[in-house]
Amino acid sequence: MADPLYRKIATQIKNEIKEGNWKEGESIPTEAHLSEQYTASRVTIRQAIKTLVEQGLLERIQGSGTYVKEHKVEHNIFELVGFTEEMKKLNKEPVNKVLDFQLMTPTEHVRSMLHIGEEEKVFYIRRLRIVEDIPYVLEITYVPVSMFPNLSYSTMQGSKYDYIEREVGMKIKESYQEVIPILPEQEIAEALTVDESMPLLKIQSYSVLDDGTIFEYTESYFKSDEYRFKLKASRP
């Protein structure tokens, strides 16, 4: 039995989305326009749109219209969740590609962020966080060697927070973060496979154990076309 017309139209619209003719986050053409384009009644068009809303390709926003649904990762900035943990909650399998791992003498800025002395060394770790072959985040982390002397390259291919809490036995309490919109330098743009004209979100953060000890300083660069930050504000 042949598919009803609304299903055929839904399939055609789906192809438009897959081919990038209908962009994520953009409003879709009017019912009148689609009715003319597909030579179908508005009732049929409405049913096709309803089908795609149910499939999660379109979304209706009350009082605004119908849009091609964005599939950005939503990050709740008020939850201290590692990237690996965050992706697994979304049933995605992350890959942590370690680009650089070395022992180094920190700059004055890094020392001040970690509250460590001039003689202390840090591990410098540069990682690319990848999901489904797409680079999402470039992360540069500094941790005191004195706190994690057994930290290794292979450890950083997994979850940093999981290692700290489960293997080292330390309890992570909170993180202090500053969000800065930037245009990337060439090295960062190349790592994230974006143009240097694409804005990124840079997060500078330091994280604290339950005894108040700062255990890491991190600079993370998030792709604005893959990530969306979520905030909840309460009126006092």
Side-chain angles (χ1 to χ4, degrees), residues 98-116:
V98 180
L99 304 176
D100 198 356
F101 183 94
Q102 61 177 288
L103 184 71
M104 67 177 290
T105 300
T107 63
E108 184 179 346
H109 172 66
V110 172
R111 285 201 309 271
S112 68
M113 295 303 296
L114 290 171
H115 292 186
I116 59 176

Side-chain angles (χ1 to χ4, degrees), residues 7-229:
R7 285 192 181 278
K8 291 179 180 178
I9 293 171
T11 300
Q12 288 177 273
I13 292 174
K14 193 185 295 186
N15 290 335
E16 294 278 8
I17 294 170
K18 284 181 179 177
E19 290 170 9
N21 298 325
W22 291 22
K23 306 292 185 185
E24 287 190 9
E26 290 184 356
S27 61
I28 68 170
T30 64
E31 285 184 3
H33 179 89
L34 292 174
S35 178
E36 184 178 338
Q37 180 178 343
Y38 293 110
T39 319
S41 69
R42 288 199 182 189
V43 172
T44 301
I45 295 298
R46 209 167 293 137
Q47 202 165 2
I49 290 170
K50 181 175 180 288
T51 299
L52 294 174
V53 169
E54 290 169 353
Q55 291 178 5
L57 290 171
L58 301 178
E59 65 177 339
R60 285 198 181 98
I61 299 176
Q62 191 171 359
S64 179
T66 304
Y67 296 81
V68 179
K69 190 168 185 178
E70 291 186 285
H71 291 91
K72 292 184 180 182
V73 174
E74 287 194 351
H75 174 72
N76 186 341
I77 204 167
F78 292 115
E79 288 184 359
L80 181 52
V81 179
F83 181 84
T84 302
E85 298 168 304
E86 186 172 52
M87 291 301 114
K88 288 191 172 179
K89 280 185 178 180
L90 297 171
N91 297 316
K92 296 177 182 287
E93 195 58 43
V95 173
N96 296 315
K97 183 178 180 181
V98 180
L99 304 176
D100 198 356
F101 183 94
Q102 61 177 288
L103 184 71
M104 67 177 290
T105 300
T107 63
E108 184 179 346
H109 172 66
V110 172
R111 285 201 309 271
S112 68
M113 295 303 296
L114 290 171
H115 292 186
I116 59 176
E118 290 185 12
E119 303 304 316
E120 291 198 57
K121 302 289 186 182
V122 297
F123 284 118
Y124 166 85
I125 308 109
R126 190 164 170 263
R127 298 193 294 177
L128 196 58
R129 323 305 292 274
I130 301 169
V131 179
E132 297 171 351
D133 297 324
I134 299 172
Y136 274 51
V137 185
L138 178 66
E139 175 194 271
I140 298 170
T141 299
Y142 305 85
V143 295
V145 175
S146 59
M147 293 183 67
F148 308 104
N150 298 319
L151 188 67
S152 67
Y153 179 99
S154 60
T155 297
M156 295 308 294
Q157 289 178 308
S159 168
K160 175 179 59 186
Y161 286 177
D162 192 57
Y163 167 77
I164 291 170
E165 294 194 313
R166 295 194 182 191
E167 293 193 38
V168 183
M170 295 176 172
K171 179 64 177 172
I172 299 170
K173 181 183 179 184
E174 56 197 4
S175 176
Y176 296 85
Q177 306 179 4
E178 180 181 7
V179 183
I180 309 164
I182 65 161
L183 290 175
E185 297 174 0
Q186 183 180 353
E187 187 179 24
I188 294 168
E190 287 177 357
L192 290 171
T193 63
V194 298
D195 191 86
E196 289 177 52
S197 63
M198 173 181 278
L200 299 181
L201 290 172
K202 177 184 178 181
I203 291 190
Q204 295 181 167
S205 64
Y206 65 92
S207 302
V208 180
L209 300 173
D210 60 354
D211 65 358
T213 303
I214 296 172
F215 69 89
E216 71 164 341
Y217 168 62
T218 297
E219 296 176 353
S220 300
Y221 300 87
F222 292 80
K223 289 173 73 172
S224 57
D225 62 339
E226 301 290 351
Y227 241 88
R228 175 166 56 195
F229 285 81

